Amino acid sequence: MAKIAEQECEAGGLRWFYREALPINKSDKLPVVLLHGLVSQSYSWREVMTSLADVGFRAIAPDWIGHGYSSKPDKREFDYTPEAFVNGLETWLDSLEIDRFYLVVQGFLGSAGLLYAAKHADKIERLVILNTPLTTDAKLPFKISQLGIPLVGDMLTQDPILVDRTLEGGGPYEVGDKDLEIYRQPFLKSSDAGRSLLATVKQLQLKRVLPEIDQGFADWSIPTLIVWGIADKWLPVSLAKNFAKTLKEVELAELEETGHYAQEDWSEKVSEVVVPFLRRMAT
């Protein structure tokens, strides 16, 4: 089984932490970049990454700026808008000399990944979307929106238990204690993690971004797989079905008993649909 290495690099003056799983044997397949959602980390992709590497893909998952073990800059350095995340992703990919790749996005920060894809369709070989707001019908759940409320959000985002409440609030499962310890660690280490999360939620701007995504994908012809944990308490599968109707080459996989953080809830089910999709399409 492939192993996951923890890496760091500097891009755009910021420190990016990322996890990487390399195939055991030399492979000419394009890399797979996996982007996590709010309050999560690249750690959430660990099982999916090894499944990809075991069949010859280089799997790379960054911690978004402000999340996990990446930099948590002041708002003067990074304003936490969707555009800032897209620009940050551009610089990170450039720093690793990744020019063309498979893209996998999940969660409410997945919207930034979709904005990137719409802007750089020429770089995307195939796209996989997991439980991400896709249409203007998507709403930010109160559990997350309250993290961006002044004073209330300041208090909540400094409580490491918010990790448990959020990761477990979007689906039917409890996250194991050992895994929760890893997710909590940035919040225990510094108040910067909470401040960055507060800024991210305040600047999500879904009402503006979602119409831009709809417009950006109006002529999307790249093969796309939408994977949906249908036990997601925040985003109904109807969003995926409606979005799928607008795409030319799309598959939809509905995962029973799997919640918002599908790759954490039930990684085996995610791998069972994602890996064959990428292998089948791989050139």
Side-chain angles (χ1 to χ4, degrees):
M1 179 179 287
K3 295 183 178 180
I4 295 178
E6 297 181 352
Q7 313 275 23
E8 286 188 2
C9 70
E10 184 173 309
L14 298 172
R15 185 188 74 259
W16 285 78
F17 174 94
Y18 62 98
R19 290 177 166 87
E20 181 176 32
L22 297 175
I24 296 173
N25 299 314
K26 188 176 180 180
S27 173
D28 59 357
K29 293 177 181 177
L30 292 173
V32 182
V33 175
L34 305 102
L35 304 177
H36 67 81
L38 280 172
V39 193
S40 187
Q41 299 176 19
S42 57
Y43 180 74
S44 67
W45 294 111
R46 60 198 180 280
E47 303 293 346
V48 178
M49 291 175 70
T50 55
S51 296
L52 287 165
D54 285 343
V55 297
F57 289 100
R58 176 191 178 196
I60 316 161
D63 286 354
W64 281 112
I65 294 300
H67 282 68
Y69 298 91
S70 289
S71 287
K72 299 169 184 64
D74 183 270
K75 288 183 289 185
R76 290 168 293 185
E77 298 177 72
F78 185 87
D79 65 9
Y80 294 92
T81 60
E83 290 74 21
F85 282 109
V86 171
N87 293 337
L89 181 60
E90 290 171 350
T91 60
W92 176 73
L93 289 166
D94 288 344
S95 73
L96 295 184
E97 299 181 344
I98 297 175
D99 186 57
R100 190 167 176 81
F101 57 98
Y102 298 90
L103 178 61
V104 183
V105 305
Q106 183 270 326
F108 284 90
L109 268 179
S111 55
L114 293 179
L115 285 174
Y116 174 90
K119 183 179 178 181
H120 297 287
D122 59 313
K123 294 181 177 292
I124 309 299
E125 182 74 10
R126 301 289 185 266
L127 175 65
V128 179
I129 303 170
L130 286 83
N131 294 73
T132 297
L134 294 171
T135 73
T136 52
D137 291 329
K139 299 292 186 292
L140 195 64
F142 179 71
K143 186 179 290 286
I144 290 181
S145 65
Q146 64 181 339
L147 301 179
I149 299 173
L151 299 180
V152 174
D154 286 276
M155 180 180 65
L156 291 174
T157 54
Q158 293 302 323
D159 181 0
I161 300 302
L162 80 91
V163 173
D164 309 39
R165 294 176 183 143
T166 307
L167 294 179
E168 296 176 347
Y173 291 101
E174 292 184 1
V175 182
D177 288 340
K178 289 184 179 180
D179 297 324
L180 283 175
E181 286 178 10
I182 293 173
Y183 285 116
R184 290 186 199 124
Q185 193 57 42
F187 294 89
L188 293 169
K189 186 176 180 181
S190 168
S191 61
D192 292 344
R195 284 198 292 269
S196 294
L197 177 59
L198 175 67
T200 302
V201 174
K202 288 175 70 174
Q203 296 281 29
L204 272 179
Q205 303 175 22
L206 287 182
K207 288 184 178 180
R208 175 180 65 83
V209 168
L210 290 174
E212 291 182 14
I213 290 174
D214 287 344
Q215 183 177 3
F217 278 80
D219 297 316
W220 186 260
S221 59
I222 295 168
T224 299
L225 171 66
I226 303 176
V227 183
W228 214 264
I230 61 173
D232 189 332
K233 297 179 181 179
W234 300 333
L235 295 174
V237 69
S238 59
L239 298 178
K241 292 178 178 178
N242 290 336
F243 190 70
K245 291 175 183 177
T246 68
L247 303 182
K248 297 176 181 177
E249 190 168 343
V250 63
E251 298 176 33
L252 173 61
E254 299 180 35
L255 306 185
E256 300 281 348
E257 303 178 71
T258 306
H260 180 75
Y261 297 93
Q263 72 273 30
E264 182 64 55
D265 274 1
W266 210 321
S267 61
E268 296 90 346
K269 287 190 176 185
V270 173
S271 294
E272 283 171 5
V273 292
V274 171
V275 174
F277 173 75
L278 297 182
R279 290 188 78 183
R280 187 169 67 251
M281 298 295 187
T283 57

